[in-house]
Amino acid sequence: MQPIPLETRAPVRTRLGLVVPTSSESVFESALVSLQGVEARWVRYEDEGEIGLAVREALQDVDAVFFAGPMPLDRCRSLLPDEMPVAAARQGPIDLALALLRARERGLALAPASVDTFDEHVVEELARELGLPVKAMRVLPYAPGQDVEDIVRFHLEMRRRHQTHYAVTGRSGVYARLLESMDVPVLRSVPTVASIRSAMNEVVLRAVSARHSNLRFAAAVYRLLEDSGLYEAGVERVNTLRMFFDAPEFGEAWIEPRGDQSVLVFAHKGLLEQITASWTAVPLLEDARSRLGVRMAVGFGVGESVRDSVRHAEMAVRRAMAEGGDAGYLMTEDGLVIGPIGVATDPLRYTYKADDRTDDRGLRELAGRVGLGVATLSRLADLERRLDGAGASAEEIGQALRVSVPSGRRIIRVLRENGLALPVGLSQPAKRGRPKSLYRLDINSQMKGAHRSA
């Protein structure tokens, strides 16, 4: 009898975004060869000023990002999510020593010379080791926001004033410009394969650790505080469950009604951590009060297994009930109880009750026409009133709804396609980075029109 082969599962690969200049791509490819379980997502660039858009697109499909140096990292820092593991290749003494070795092989006197990107102490220490006059090594250390033209002018000025024999640069854009304008050799300094591989290893390990943490099991138990008979009344039961199913933040979670007047939400830890703003807010708690007129206690649980996470959530909800409800508690995998977790400050509300036939009919009619949940559209209507005609970006609208960035973009796309969000200009709060489109919401007036037509 032949043994039955066990089903094997392909290992999960870490998707690593690599933001590198085309001229140095081969070095980073060599460093990547020995890394197991890594799938590269290359973002190649010629011009340092054009990497923002490519990185923004790549962020939708990577677990971590590795930059060829501190400059591209600084250019893209405002685009990077706080939780994204990020690292950059750093230039050290070995990299500079190799550049000076190439200068010696070309028969050049090692001093005087001009050097950018490296820290001054690195250049000084190496100069002392080689017996070079420290002051003859003219250094422009890296600083955020440095312009290519400024660095080029530094090297040209050092050549004019001190008759430097060559220039060493760690910037691809500077290297290209100096080749055109300098009358002495220009040496390109690139981090060694070993130093790149070490930094890559570190950021990949952080991504794997974050993924394992987020894939732990998590559960939430929402329990009604009053024995109001909602679960015996069919219409109210449907409305209560609809509140959960309509909520975009629970779109990827398992939702299950339970017989003890509670609703169980089951998901990975990463999802629940996201929609609770890192365990600081309780989604739908205020909606239950304003929409259905009921109070709830909520318990969150994290565990190594499904059973543990649900058990911890049930223990946490009992603690929330003992404290009077209208809040939540979290029990972690090691039994630590955290709370109370309150409602987010001034949350967006579901502003139309299910039994308010006049207002609710227009809301439901419009929600059905555009394909958004009733609760989502109602909170957007509340956001529109708070903005009072002002514009908001897609990211700001998504944050107000407490949904993920992709969900926020999908919602704003649906609103635009149905004339519920109108472009009103651009915003660029930071000096660098891509401007953000602003939209003015137009939901309340169309909601009234939908009711009249109904």
Side-chain angles (χ1 to χ4, degrees):
M1 189 177 199
Q2 296 294 325
I4 300 175
L6 296 176
E7 181 182 359
T8 59
R9 178 180 297 177
V12 177
R13 299 177 68 83
T14 299
R15 301 166 301 173
L16 179 64
L18 293 157
V19 185
V20 302
T22 304
S23 58
S24 305
E25 181 180 343
S26 60
V27 179
F28 293 89
E29 286 180 337
S30 298
L32 189 65
V33 167
S34 63
L35 292 183
Q36 301 297 318
V38 174
E39 187 174 311
R41 300 284 196 274
W42 291 95
V43 178
R44 306 171 178 88
Y45 62 88
E46 300 283 350
D47 184 349
E48 295 173 345
E50 299 177 353
I51 60 178
L53 179 59
V55 170
R56 185 190 299 271
E57 294 175 353
L59 286 174
Q60 307 304 312
D61 192 36
V62 297
D63 304 305
V65 188
F66 186 83
F67 291 86
M71 183 283 304
L73 172 57
D74 287 332
R75 288 284 180 96
C76 301
R77 196 175 295 277
S78 62
L79 306 176
L80 301 171
D82 293 338
E83 67 278 5
M84 177 71 71
V86 175
R90 300 286 177 177
Q91 306 229 25
I94 294 178
D95 308 308
L96 180 58
L98 290 175
L100 298 186
L101 177 61
R102 290 196 297 273
R104 176 167 287 175
E105 288 173 345
R106 296 175 66 168
L108 301 172
L110 295 186
S114 57
V115 180
D116 69 53
T117 302
F118 289 90
D119 292 337
E120 287 182 290
H121 71 86
V122 171
V123 180
E124 291 176 0
E125 290 175 2
L126 185 59
R128 290 193 184 96
E129 289 292 330
L130 296 175
L132 303 175
V134 172
K135 293 184 178 180
M137 304 299 289
R138 306 293 171 170
V139 184
L140 180 66
Y142 174 79
Q146 274 180 340
D147 185 82
V148 168
E149 295 303 321
D150 292 337
I151 303 175
V152 170
R153 281 193 292 270
F154 160 77
H155 286 287
L156 294 177
E157 181 67 12
M158 293 302 101
R159 171 61 180 160
R160 185 184 66 81
R161 291 173 54 188
H162 303 287
Q163 296 300 303
T164 52
H165 299 312
Y166 60 95
V168 177
T169 180
R171 300 279 295 271
S172 57
V174 174
Y175 179 72
R177 290 278 288 106
L178 289 179
L179 287 178
E180 300 172 353
S181 55
M182 211 161 185
D183 62 347
V184 293
V186 182
L187 306 178
R188 177 84 165 90
S189 177
V190 179
T192 62
V193 171
S195 62
I196 292 173
R197 184 183 298 122
S198 176
M200 281 184 181
N201 265 320
E202 187 267 337
V203 74
V204 168
L205 287 174
R206 281 196 282 130
V208 171
S209 177
R211 182 170 66 241
H212 287 172
S213 177
N214 286 337
L215 288 178
R216 291 192 176 190
F217 299 104
V221 173
Y222 285 72
R223 180 157 183 167
L224 294 170
L225 293 178
E226 296 92 0
D227 187 8
S228 58
L230 287 180
Y231 278 76
E232 284 70 38
V235 174
E236 281 77 6
R237 175 186 176 90
V238 170
N239 285 336
T240 303
L241 291 176
R242 183 180 292 165
M243 181 180 69
F244 284 87
F245 287 115
D246 282 347
E249 55 264 47
F250 288 117
E252 299 177 11
W254 175 268
I255 301 170
E256 177 183 309
R258 308 175 86 193
D260 58 351
Q261 296 196 151
S262 68
V263 174
L264 172 66
V265 178
F266 184 74
H268 290 307
K269 176 189 173 186
L271 176 60
L272 277 184
E273 193 169 36
Q274 174 184 312
I275 65 179
T276 59
S278 298
W279 313 112
T280 61
V282 184
L284 300 189
L285 195 63
E286 185 63 22
D287 284 351
R289 177 191 289 274
S290 59
R291 178 179 177 183
L292 301 175
V294 298
R295 297 171 59 242
M296 281 186 161
V298 185
F300 299 101
V302 179
E304 298 287 350
S305 66
V306 176
R307 183 188 300 274
D308 284 344
S309 64
V310 174
R311 180 168 58 86
H312 289 169
E314 290 172 340
M315 294 171 69
V317 79
R318 286 197 291 271
R319 173 66 180 272
M321 293 173 66
E323 297 291 335
D326 282 337
Y329 277 83
L330 164 69
M331 177 172 282
T332 65
E333 50 267 71
D334 56 2
L336 177 66
V337 177
I338 300 172
I341 303 171
V343 181
T345 304
D346 200 16
L348 295 177
R349 297 170 179 268
Y350 186 102
T351 54
Y352 301 90
K353 291 183 180 296
D355 57 355
D356 190 337
R357 305 299 179 188
T358 302
D359 288 335
D360 196 54
R361 189 191 304 176
L363 173 65
R364 294 189 180 281
E365 171 70 20
L366 187 60
R369 176 160 62 83
V370 303
L372 288 176
V374 175
T376 299
L377 196 61
S378 177
R379 280 179 281 177
L380 285 166
D382 189 16
L383 177 61
E384 178 191 344
R385 287 190 289 273
R386 298 185 189 192
L387 291 171
D388 193 24
S393 67
E395 289 80 2
E396 291 169 336
I397 292 172
Q399 288 171 2
L401 292 175
R402 294 197 177 278
V403 300
S404 64
V405 173
S407 295
R409 290 174 181 162
R410 181 187 67 83
I411 290 171
I412 201 67
R413 185 173 64 250
V414 172
L415 294 175
R416 287 192 62 186
E417 292 172 351
N418 289 275
L420 300 179
L422 309 175
V424 292
L426 299 173
S427 171
Q428 192 170 18
K431 293 183 179 180
R432 297 183 180 273
R434 187 182 181 189
K436 296 181 179 180
S437 298
L438 298 178
Y439 303 92
R440 178 172 58 80
L441 298 178
D442 184 24
I443 297 171
N444 287 282
S445 62
Q446 295 203 37
M447 197 157 53
K448 294 177 181 178
H451 168 64
R452 285 194 295 267
S453 63

